[in-house]
Amino acid sequence: MTSDWDALFSALPPEELDKVALLRMIECTNGVIQHQFRDGSDDALSVEETRAAMKFSMGCIKNMTIPLGDELISFAPATAELVGKLRDLYVSGVKNGNQIAMAEFFIASEANLRAVGMERIEAAKRLIFYHIYELPPHTLDWGIDYIRGFVGANR
C-alpha cells in the first residue's frame, strides 16, 4: 500500500499546493472543532457553530471545491485524485479502524503537509480569516496548532 507520498505531493504545481493548503486548514480546523465539541471542552463551539463548521468542511472535501468570497476554488483532476486517496485512507483508517490504512494515512498526511509547507498554511489561514465565516476566526489557531504538532511527529 505504501506509496512515495513525498514525491507525489511534492510534484504538485505551486498553485495546486496553495489550494491544498486551504483545504488542509479547513479540514484540520474542523477536526479540532469536532473533537472539542465531542469532548465537552470549555472552548467548544455551540452546537450550531460546530454543525456549520462540519457542513462547510465536508462540502469542500466531497465537492473538491472551496467557496472563497466570490471565487470558487477548484482542484485540478490530478490533485483531486491524490487528495481523494488521502481521504480514503483517513476514512478506512481513522473512521473504520483499519490499522494499516491508519498508519499509511499518517505517513501520507504528513508528506502532504510537508509539501504544502507552513508558509502556505499561514497564507491559507489569512484567506480563510477574511473570506470564510463558517469557521470562527479564533478556531483557525486551533487548526494551525494541530498542523504544527502533527508535522514531524510521525517520523
Side-chain angles (χ1 to χ4, degrees):
M1 178 185 285
T2 300
S3 297
D4 187 351
W5 296 107
D6 285 307
L8 291 169
F9 284 113
S10 294
L12 293 176
E15 59 274 7
E16 289 300 301
L17 289 171
D18 291 343
K19 296 172 192 177
V20 172
L22 279 169
L23 186 61
R24 292 310 304 269
M25 262 304 297
I26 291 165
E27 289 174 331
C28 291
T29 300
N30 174 61
V32 176
I33 289 169
Q34 300 307 314
H35 277 284
Q36 288 200 351
F37 183 80
R38 284 192 297 271
D39 294 345
S41 169
D42 290 342
D43 293 327
L45 301 181
S46 70
V47 172
E48 295 80 15
E49 290 172 310
T50 301
R51 283 185 183 146
M54 184 170 59
K55 181 179 178 186
F56 180 78
S57 178
M58 293 308 299
C60 293
I61 294 165
K62 289 183 179 190
N63 299 320
M64 290 307 298
T65 58
I66 303 169
L68 192 67
D70 295 334
E71 189 178 358
L72 185 64
I73 306 293
S74 297
F75 294 82
T79 305
E81 181 180 340
L82 188 55
V83 172
K85 288 179 182 178
L86 186 60
R87 177 74 182 159
D88 291 345
L89 286 171
Y90 172 79
V91 170
S92 179
V94 178
K95 294 291 187 182
N96 296 329
N98 177 324
Q99 295 300 310
I100 294 169
M102 186 174 348
E104 189 72 12
F105 166 73
F106 287 128
I107 292 166
S109 185
E110 188 174 356
N112 169 268
L113 291 169
R114 276 195 310 274
V116 166
M118 286 308 299
E119 187 175 318
R120 278 191 180 92
I121 293 291
E122 293 281 354
K125 176 188 170 189
R126 288 188 294 278
L127 283 172
I128 293 166
F129 180 89
Y130 290 111
H131 299 287
I132 295 175
Y133 305 109
E134 292 82 357
L135 301 172
H138 72 282
T139 64
L140 300 176
D141 288 332
W142 301 346
I144 286 276
D145 290 344
Y146 174 81
I147 291 168
R148 281 192 185 117
F150 185 80
V151 174
N154 298 299
R155 282 220 165 224

